[in-house]
Amino acid sequence: MSSSSALILFSSLLIFSLIYSQGNALSSNYYENTCPQVEDIVTQVVTEATKKDKTVPAALLRMHFHDCFIRGCDASVLLNSKKNTAEKDGPPNVSLHAFYVIDSAKKAIEARCPGIVSCADILAFAARDSVVVSGGPSWDVPKGRKDGRTSKASETIQLPAPTFNINQLQQSFSQRGLSLEDLVALSGGHTLGFSHCSSFINRIHNFNNTHDVDPTLHPTLAATLKGICPLKNRAKNAGSPMDPSSTMFDNTYYKLILQNKSLFSSDQALLSNPKTKNLVSDFASSKEAFFKAFANSMIKMSSINGGQEVRKDCRVAN
């Protein structure tokens, strides 16, 4: 193990003990006696799925974020719409995909340890494995989440939007017990994946009364994005990779922010506060610093707890 990996693991354990001391039900050895092979099963399923579809890691990481920010990490994002429209069919979530990976992991786990492992925990493991398989850091995922029974599309309005300014972002994160450092570190998840035009169209057309294009957006990137995302007759799934190495978990995202080449207003907004700007610079210059902060912030975020049961089927409440 490298010294940086050992440091990340130590920091993870430190935060972990903090979570536990706050009276949270999560623990590192929750499945030690009931389903010791659970994490190996999830890792195998995520790795196999990624070999067939390189967009899977970004999808699973985003799915976990979107789950934790509404009702805590309770797998409410996995529930199908029934009498009411569920979270997964809310406007910010219609582009979520790779739910089948969680289903496959659940099926394999149920065959070994029926009724033991929550879908919320499976999603938390899958998000961590998605980062690792993409070249990012690993961390010890706290275990013992329960699955929620409620999922409402109307609540997806609580998700931080790509158009948010720094004050809106700070409020959204602080409401969930997350700091400015967590905000900057977790935004680094944008190093993976693809964005549809709708998430950044505000920056390239009719930006405000004075400018058609956001003046903080690099002109070359603005011209490219305008070509991909015209106001009219846009291709159905048009968009752009989040960064040029969009299947690799690295610190390119922060370097792009400093060059005014990030996609979202919410990314650019990280330069509008002295503390977040300094963190962007730190993470741009040190991949190790970013990896350590990201692992710690993921542990914090994934420990926002909310559910009541262990679902038999991740798409349906018991």
Side-chain angles (χ1 to χ4, degrees):
M1 183 187 284
S2 70
S3 58
S4 61
S5 300
L7 198 62
I8 287 172
L9 195 61
F10 175 73
S11 308
S12 302
L13 291 171
L14 204 64
I15 289 183
F16 203 65
S17 61
L18 179 68
I19 289 163
Y20 203 57
S21 69
Q22 288 171 343
N24 201 314
L26 305 186
S27 70
S28 60
N29 58 357
Y30 191 84
Y31 297 115
E32 197 171 21
N33 299 319
T34 53
C35 196
Q37 65 276 61
V38 59
E39 289 181 89
D40 292 337
I41 295 171
V42 177
T43 300
Q44 188 178 356
V45 170
V46 171
T47 305
E48 287 303 312
T50 303
K51 283 178 188 170
K52 293 173 185 158
D53 179 357
K54 65 184 190 304
T55 70
V56 160
L60 294 174
L61 183 58
R62 185 166 174 246
M63 195 187 292
H64 182 49
F65 280 142
H66 284 216
D67 182 37
C68 293
F69 264 69
I70 297 172
R71 296 180 172 267
C73 313
D74 66 343
S76 52
V77 75
L78 303 178
L79 288 171
N80 284 346
S81 295
K82 284 203 158 180
K83 289 174 186 170
N84 67 299
T85 310
E87 279 172 42
K88 64 163 61 164
D89 295 318
N93 286 341
V94 288
S95 59
L96 289 180
H97 65 104
F99 291 101
Y100 70 91
V101 180
I102 304 302
D103 293 336
S104 300
K106 178 67 169 171
K107 188 178 178 183
I109 291 163
E110 286 296 304
R112 296 274 192 95
C113 335
I116 301 292
V117 182
S118 67
C119 300
D121 273 352
I122 293 171
L123 182 51
F125 298 145
R128 187 265 318 275
D129 294 340
S130 295
V131 172
V132 174
V133 81
S134 306
S138 187
W139 60 92
D140 188 5
V141 174
K143 303 160 187 72
R145 292 165 197 77
K146 293 290 186 278
D147 298 323
R149 299 182 53 80
T150 304
S151 184
K152 297 177 180 175
S154 57
E155 293 181 351
T156 58
I157 198 167
Q158 297 167 22
L159 289 167
T163 53
F164 270 13
N165 62 36
I166 193 66
N167 294 330
Q168 292 169 306
L169 289 168
Q170 184 173 5
Q171 184 181 13
S172 176
F173 276 66
S174 66
Q175 282 170 350
R176 292 158 177 86
L178 300 170
S179 67
L180 278 177
E181 182 170 7
D182 296 322
L183 162 62
V184 180
L186 293 172
S187 295
H190 289 167
T191 183
L192 292 179
F194 177 89
S195 169
H196 292 101
C197 296
S198 57
S199 294
F200 55 83
I201 199 92
N202 65 301
R203 300 187 75 196
I204 57 172
H205 297 290
N206 307 318
F207 178 67
N208 60 22
N209 292 335
T210 319
H211 301 95
D212 183 45
V213 173
D214 182 346
T216 63
L217 183 61
H218 193 286
T220 310
L221 178 60
T224 302
L225 296 177
K226 268 181 169 281
I228 296 167
C229 307
L231 265 179
K232 292 178 182 171
N233 303 322
R234 194 160 65 234
K236 188 185 173 202
N237 290 315
S240 169
M242 295 300 288
D243 76 25
S245 56
S246 63
T247 58
M248 217 163 114
F249 196 93
D250 55 26
N251 63 335
T252 305
Y253 164 79
Y254 299 102
K255 296 173 184 177
L256 292 173
I257 293 177
L258 294 176
Q259 297 165 24
N260 292 331
K261 290 181 178 175
S262 58
L263 277 185
F264 299 162
S265 297
S266 59
D267 299 327
Q268 183 68 28
L270 300 179
L271 296 183
S272 63
N273 169 295
K275 183 172 182 182
T276 55
K277 185 177 182 177
N278 285 339
L279 287 164
V280 169
S281 297
D282 291 347
F283 297 160
S285 59
S286 170
K287 189 167 82 167
E288 290 71 28
F290 165 46
F291 278 14
K292 180 185 171 188
F294 186 81
N296 289 344
S297 294
M298 283 296 286
I299 291 169
K300 264 179 85 174
M301 183 195 73
S302 76
S303 302
I304 306 168
N305 215 346
Q308 303 85 36
E309 65 183 24
V310 174
R311 268 180 231 149
K312 294 183 182 72
D313 176 342
C314 290
R315 294 172 182 255
V316 187
N318 290 348

